[in-house]
Structure formats: structure tokens, C-alpha cells
Amino acid sequence: MQVPLLWRFDKKLARGSLDIPLAEDFAIKVSGYWEDDKGYAGNTTTGDRLNDNDGYGARIGFRGQLNDRSTWRGSYARISSQGENILNFSCDPANPSDCDGRFITTGLPEGDRIQGVFAPLTITGRKANFGQHNRTDMDLISSNIELGLSDDLSLNLITGFVNLTQQFALDFFDGRAGPSLAVPNPVVRRFTRGGFAITNDGEHQQFTQEVKLNGTVADGLIDFVGGFYYFSEKNRTDFADIFSIFTGAPGGTPLLLADRTLRNEAKAYAGYVQGDLNLSEILKFTAGVRYTDETKTFSVRDNRASCNDQTVEPTCVSDQNLIAPSGRPIPREQTAKLWTPRFAVNLTPTDAILLFGSATRGFKSGGWNARGTSASQLLPFGPEIAWSYEVGAKTEWFDRRLRANITGFWLDVEGLQTPSALINPVTGAITFLTRNFADYRNRGVELELTAAPVDGLNLYANVGFQDDEYRLDSNAPTTDEFGIQSVPAQQRDCLAQIAAGRIAGGMGAQNATACGAGIVAPDGSIAEPVRTPKWTLAIGASYDFDFGSWGLQPSVNASYRSRYETGTSNVSFYSDPITVGSTTYPANPYGNGDFITGSEGSSVWLVNASLTFKLRQDRWRLSVECTNCFDEEYVQSSLGNYSYISPPMTWMVRAKVGF
């Protein structure tokens, strides 16, 4: 059992597990956890504490021995969690001189049930009364029956079922407008329904069944695994988008952008086989292939009364209006039939050296832009197909005092699925868009070192380098079959608009609309892929002090990552004013001056540390831990030109007892 006693934000967490042997060939294990905390961000408008993590979970599992060769393992788990990552700031936007904490200013109150919270808007269903929160409840059932058919052959029947409900209402604009080039720091409005809020009520189910055969033949010359896999998923999502504008009315004037219910299903069948050819004790070849046949469907219904009175207006987000900008109907079914092979080789010249290489093809299925607020935005995107290659070595030296592993990798992706969030220049609301904008390549190397130079001392260092980029087809047509402009054509338009004296995010006719959108950056270049810093480094050390019946273990680790982007379009605003025509903007999107808000994540070092006291019987442990010990702040993600920053420093006292 683990019981953290104290947390910087009054977090309490308890974990425990109990093994119960009921018979010689049957046992169960019961485990669970409970957590509660106040949250690290304070809402100066409503007085709520947000960005907390509350919840509980319980699991019961069993293992039964059916006979000498066969076992049955199964479990049921119930997990309930409530927590959010609400946009917050290190200085109070309503009082910038107050930088002691984390601050939120939205007027949308916290709570999973608040009658009339979005009034006077007419929003249907339970979600009409959701206050700011994010709650997920999940039930999981699993079963694995392993039948030993012979000494060299076994059959597994693996079944899984997941039932999940998610209910949330989140304000993505902190009760005000989104940042713009003209107003990079929007005025605090405390809109009572949020600046841009989504309220969501979803139900999701998944069922999987796998039949897997494992075996070996020819006295161990060939090890093989093969089987059949079935997957079924059903989703129902009832959600609405609300945008608030300032018209002088208290709390802002709300606009209902959309209120719709989406149903989508996926069914997939797959067969696979893989074999290891053990040519000798030092050389092994692996080859395998998987065939997948997948079908996805979706349907959407507008919840508004005017769209359910025996007529469907052109503005309704309904199946009847699924027409792309090109005039082509948007398909409501997608199929994918793919072969995905894998090849690998392992060479072990000595007990301390393993050389390896592999080539694997994989894919990620397509879908639709289901978060669109008009029927024409619910465009499909296709599957992405990837080939990944790895070569490397795993080695041990100096009587296993030093372990050194090195891996080189190369990833080629065809039709990378890239999500983007664009701000509508007319309404100011967010438009969510996922497209296969381009192909993608990433290559790099990773080095891992682990050392134990003396007994009790453990050291490690991991270094990574990667070089990635989008890859474009310069011969792509100007628009695709759905009327969406290709990236090369968009980039040409962007450069022409800049040459004509326009700027990304400018007002009216000065707006270079093709820039800072999709994967075209504000300066007309192709954007950097997101969350892929060129350099990463992790180092750490721990030492075990042995005092006979008890011990002490201090440990520290630090990680570094170089500059990176978090938003697809690489849009950020900086402090130096810029003049376009007769208009002077208080910010610029070109990196001149200090960072204000947006996509850029600066390089950062993070340090964690702990001190653990333990009895040598290892029944009792007491530790003091800190995470992000120097309270570094960095951009984790971005949306609508706002930056979502990292959690602050936390510290915890943890007690653990075994019995």
C-alpha cells in the first residue's frame, strides 16, 4: 500500500493491493486507488480551484490453473476520474502585477451539474447543465484463456471490453476573446459562458476478440505466432460549441455555433503470422505480415428544434447537408484494406553484445473532421501509412558495470494526419481541421548509458537527436476532390500576399489569409512539425546508503529539450510592433522581440529529486519527492493562439507499507 501524505496543492493519494490465494490453483488480486486535490490554478472570477485530479479506481483480477498446461486470467476494473487542463497564466490577466500562483479568469463556473448555465441559449440534453469540468467513467473487462495443446503449442483466447462515458464543459478562451495580432493580450471579460466553450456528453464502447496460436517446430529452429483479431467500436457524442462576444451586456452575448449528435462506428478484422528463424545461437531472422480489413461509418444529426420539424434547413449540421466546398457529397463510410509486413534480424556475437535491425510497415486509419461547426467542414481525411526502420546495438561492459545502447531510426510517413486549429477571421471562433497535409520524414539517433561504477551508485544518461520535416508533392493539383487547397498552392498564395504588403493575422484586407494556417507558417515557410525538439537529454543518479537494518536513497534526475513548436501553423506573437500600410500592430508574428503567446516552446531544463528512507526488510518506506523542483515554466501545447503552460513545481511525502 502507498499513501502520499502531503502535496503542495493539498493532494491526497492512496493506493493498495491485496493478493488472496483461495485454493492451490486459484487466486485473486484486489487493488485500488483514491485521489483528491484542490488544483493548482485559482479562478479570480468565480473563486474556484481548477486543474485538479480527483478520482478513484478499483480492480479485481483472478488467475486459475485449469490443468497442468492451461490457465485462465481475467479482471474487471472501474475507473472514475475528474480533472482538467484549463488555460491558465502565471500572472493574473486581470491584475498583471500579481504573479504569485496560477490564474484563470473565465466566468464559466465549476460543476458537473449547473441548471441554466448556458441560458438563454437553447442547448439540448444533459450537457446544457454542465459547468466547467471534465469527468470520465470507465469499465474494463478482460479475459485470457491459455490452452496448452502440447509442449510446443499453445492457444490463447483473449477478450476485452471497454465502456467509457466522458462528460465535460471546457472554456478554451478563458472567458474572453482569442489573441490576435491587433490585440495579443485580450481584455479580461469574464464571460459567464466562457470565451469559446465546448460542452460534451459522450458514450463509447469497444470490444475486441483475439485468437492467437504460439508454437515452435523443428526442435526450436522456428518459433511462430499467428492469429485472428476482431475489433468493434461504437461512439455517440452529443456536443455543442458556444462563442461569446462583447456587446456591453453583462457576461457577454453568447452565440450557439452548433449543437449536434455524432454517431460513428468502426469494425476491423485482421489476420497475422510471424516467425523467428533461429539459425544459430547468435543469429535470428524474423518475418511477419498482418492483413487488416477495416470499415468506418458516421452519421450526424443537428439537435436544434428547427432542424427536427420535418424539414432540414441548409444550415443544419445533418447528413443531408454533407456537401464539400467542391460540391461533392462527403462520404459517410471509409474502408481500408492493408498488408503491413515486418522484418528483423538479431545478431548476438557475444553474451554482452546484441546487434539488431528492423523494417516495419504500419498504418493509422482515416476519419472525419467531426468537430466542425458546419456540415461542409466534416470533411474526411485518409489513412496515414508509415515505414519505420531501426538499427542499433545493445551492449554491456566491464563485468556489466556499464550498459551502452545505441539506436538509429528512420521514419517515412505517407499522408501524415495533421490536426490544426484555425481562428475564423469573421467570428473569432476556432475551426478544427485535420488533413493529410503532407508526407513526413523523421530520422535520428538515441544513445542510452547506464553505469554502476561502485556498489550502490547508479548513473544514467540518455541523449537523442532527431531531424524531421514535412515533405510536399510539388506537382499536387491546386485543390483536391473536396475543394481543399493543396499546401504548395497555399504556400504560393501566402508568399504572394506577403509580397503585396499583407501580414498573417492582419485586420481586414491586410490579412494574409493563406499564411499561418494549416502547415504554412506566418512567414510563408513550411511549418516545423510539432513536439519534435532536435535535442533531448536525460541524466540521473541515485545512491543506496546501507546502515544495516535501514537504508537511505537520494536520487536526482534532470531532462533537457531544445526549442520546439506545439501548434501546427507555428503561430506565435512577439512584442516588437510592426507597421503594415497605415496600421501599426502592437505585436508581430516573425519572432522579433519577447514571446507573448502562441506555439513556440523554448528550450527547458527540468529537475526532479527524491529522498527515500527504507527498512532493509523493504516493508516500510518513507520518501520526500519534488517534481519540476525549480518551478520552470514552458509551453506544453497551444490552441487558438493561447499557450497552455506546464504545471508548477509540486512536492510530496509518500509512505509505503507491505504486509
Side-chain angles (χ1 to χ4, degrees):
M1 175 178 291
Q2 299 183 43
V3 184
L5 301 176
L6 189 62
W7 193 280
R8 184 181 173 200
F9 302 103
D10 293 334
K11 177 164 184 164
K12 297 171 284 292
L13 170 64
R15 295 187 181 127
S17 64
L18 184 63
D19 295 313
I20 307 173
L22 299 179
E24 185 177 351
D25 54 2
F26 185 78
I28 65 172
K29 182 171 186 174
V30 180
S31 56
Y33 78 94
W34 169 84
E35 62 178 331
D36 176 75
D37 77 278
K38 286 185 177 180
Y40 63 79
N43 189 333
T44 57
T45 298
T46 64
D48 297 327
R49 297 289 301 182
L50 295 166
N51 289 1
D52 55 336
N53 284 292
D54 303 327
Y56 67 89
R59 179 184 182 274
I60 181 169
F62 69 87
R63 181 184 185 277
Q65 195 74 30
L66 303 179
N67 56 45
D68 291 342
R69 291 177 174 168
S70 304
T71 59
W72 185 12
R73 296 178 176 88
S75 68
Y76 166 74
R78 169 73 175 182
I79 299 172
S80 180
S81 62
Q82 183 160 320
E84 58 279 317
N85 179 23
I86 303 295
L87 183 66
N88 64 99
F89 304 87
S90 54
C91 295
D92 186 354
N95 180 18
S97 63
D98 185 359
C99 299
D100 185 17
R102 292 293 182 86
F103 301 91
I104 296 170
T105 63
T106 177
L108 183 63
E110 182 184 23
D112 56 1
R113 294 290 185 275
I114 301 177
Q115 191 69 33
V117 65
F118 289 111
L121 297 176
T122 301
I123 297 177
T124 62
R126 295 181 297 187
K127 67 183 187 297
N129 299 317
F130 289 172
Q132 186 131 245
H133 80 297
N134 182 12
R135 175 169 181 152
T136 301
D137 294 295
M138 183 164 50
D139 296 283
L140 303 94
I141 300 173
S142 67
S143 169
N144 185 354
I145 301 174
E146 182 174 350
L147 304 174
L149 305 180
S150 69
D151 290 341
D152 298 324
L153 194 64
S154 65
L155 179 70
N156 288 79
L157 306 175
I158 305 170
T159 307
F161 176 76
V162 178
N163 182 72
L164 181 146
T165 62
Q166 184 180 32
Q167 299 177 339
F168 67 80
L170 299 174
D171 177 13
F172 295 94
F173 273 8
D174 193 41
R176 46 188 168 151
S180 66
L181 198 62
V183 188
N185 293 298
V187 176
V188 172
R189 298 294 187 188
R190 308 184 192 275
F191 292 146
T192 56
R193 302 161 197 88
F196 177 77
I198 296 178
T199 180
N200 184 103
D201 188 359
E203 300 174 353
H204 315 277
Q205 292 183 342
Q206 288 184 355
F207 172 79
T208 60
Q209 180 62 60
E210 184 175 4
V211 180
K212 182 172 66 173
L213 187 67
N214 294 272
T216 182
V217 297
D219 293 327
L221 178 63
I222 297 176
D223 297 321
F224 70 88
V225 58
F228 171 81
Y229 180 80
Y230 171 74
F231 171 84
S232 175
E233 180 181 62
K234 294 183 179 181
N235 304 288
R236 177 186 178 276
T237 309
D238 180 8
F239 57 114
D241 294 19
I242 300 95
F243 183 68
S244 296
I245 59 176
F246 179 69
T247 59
T253 299
L255 303 175
L256 179 60
L257 302 180
D259 183 356
R260 64 280 197 210
T261 297
L262 181 80
R263 297 178 185 270
N264 62 292
E265 296 186 7
K267 291 185 184 297
Y269 304 85
Y272 61 91
V273 62
Q274 178 174 295
D276 297 328
L277 178 60
N278 305 301
L279 290 179
S280 68
E281 292 184 357
I282 66 171
L283 183 61
K284 178 173 75 174
F285 289 99
T286 299
V289 66
R290 179 187 180 102
Y291 177 75
T292 302
D293 184 338
E294 179 185 75
T295 300
K296 285 186 170 183
T297 60
F298 95 104
S299 178
V300 64
R301 179 179 67 85
D302 200 307
N303 293 328
R304 291 174 294 180
S306 61
C307 298
N308 292 277
D309 58 0
Q310 309 305 314
T311 62
V312 178
E313 291 81 9
T315 56
C316 295
V317 186
S318 299
D319 290 346
Q320 297 91 323
N321 292 331
L322 292 173
I323 306 296
S326 65
R328 175 176 179 158
I330 296 173
R332 294 195 294 113
E333 179 176 301
Q334 294 191 44
T335 60
K337 299 180 180 181
L338 288 150
W339 294 92
T340 49
R342 179 178 185 269
F343 307 97
V345 59
N346 285 355
L347 178 64
T348 314
T350 71
D351 291 341
I353 298 176
L354 168 65
L355 307 177
F356 62 89
S358 68
T360 306
R361 187 182 192 230
F363 86 101
K364 181 179 179 181
S365 57
W368 291 267
N369 286 276
R371 290 282 171 186
T373 55
S374 67
S376 63
Q377 293 176 350
L378 274 63
L379 296 169
F381 52 88
E384 63 177 44
I385 301 172
W387 271 103
S388 62
Y389 309 91
E390 285 190 348
V391 294
K394 298 181 179 181
T395 66
E396 293 181 339
W397 306 88
F398 309 117
D399 196 24
R400 299 189 174 181
R401 290 283 185 178
L402 174 66
R403 178 177 297 161
N405 302 331
I406 187 169
T407 303
F409 64 88
W410 185 295
L411 174 66
D412 272 320
V413 181
E414 178 184 338
L416 180 72
Q417 295 172 6
T418 310
S420 184
L422 313 176
I423 292 185
N424 187 308
V426 178
T427 66
I430 295 179
T431 298
F432 296 96
L433 179 69
T434 296
R435 297 293 294 163
N436 306 97
F437 284 114
D439 297 337
Y440 173 77
R441 185 193 67 189
N442 192 3
R443 55 189 175 180
V445 62
E446 297 174 346
L447 175 64
E448 301 174 333
L449 299 173
T450 304
V454 297
D455 291 343
L457 177 62
N458 293 284
L459 309 171
Y460 76 86
N462 301 330
V463 182
F465 171 80
Q466 61 183 328
D467 177 24
D468 69 335
E469 62 180 356
Y470 295 118
R471 313 196 76 181
L472 303 178
D473 178 6
S474 59
N475 297 318
T478 301
T479 59
D480 65 13
E481 58 188 319
F482 298 105
I484 304 301
Q485 190 178 40
S486 68
V487 174
Q490 179 190 341
Q491 186 182 27
R492 290 192 295 269
D493 284 353
C494 171
L495 293 173
Q497 291 168 4
I498 292 175
R502 296 159 69 178
I503 188 172
M507 295 187 297
Q510 294 177 342
N511 186 12
T513 55
C515 305
I519 61 169
V520 177
D523 64 358
S525 64
I526 298 301
E528 298 178 25
V530 299
R531 297 183 185 86
T532 52
K534 280 193 176 295
W535 290 99
T536 57
L537 172 65
I539 55 176
S542 66
Y543 190 82
D544 284 315
F545 290 96
D546 188 353
F547 298 104
S549 61
W550 61 281
L552 199 63
Q553 183 187 64
S555 68
V556 62
N557 64 78
S559 61
Y560 167 81
R561 61 185 179 192
S562 59
R563 178 195 171 280
Y564 58 100
E565 292 286 345
T566 64
T568 306
S569 309
N570 295 179
V571 176
S572 294
F573 298 140
Y574 302 87
S575 61
D576 286 358
I578 189 169
T579 299
V580 179
S582 60
T583 304
T584 297
Y585 295 92
N588 75 88
Y590 300 130
N592 301 321
D594 297 328
F595 174 81
I596 299 174
T597 185
S599 168
E600 183 184 0
S602 60
S603 59
V604 63
W605 274 99
L606 298 177
V607 177
N608 306 315
S610 68
L611 180 64
T612 302
F613 167 83
K614 54 186 177 181
L615 296 177
R616 280 306 174 199
Q617 297 88 344
D618 211 23
R619 290 188 58 189
W620 287 87
R621 288 191 178 202
L622 183 67
S623 61
V624 180
E625 307 169 7
C626 72
T627 303
N628 188 11
C629 300
F630 295 106
D631 205 17
E632 293 291 331
E633 179 185 307
Y634 57 95
V635 178
Q636 283 188 314
S637 61
S638 58
L639 182 65
N641 298 339
Y642 274 119
S643 300
Y644 284 72
I645 57 178
S646 56
M649 182 269 286
T650 58
W651 60 271
M652 176 170 59
V653 177
R654 183 193 301 267
K656 180 180 180 181
V657 59
F659 53 88

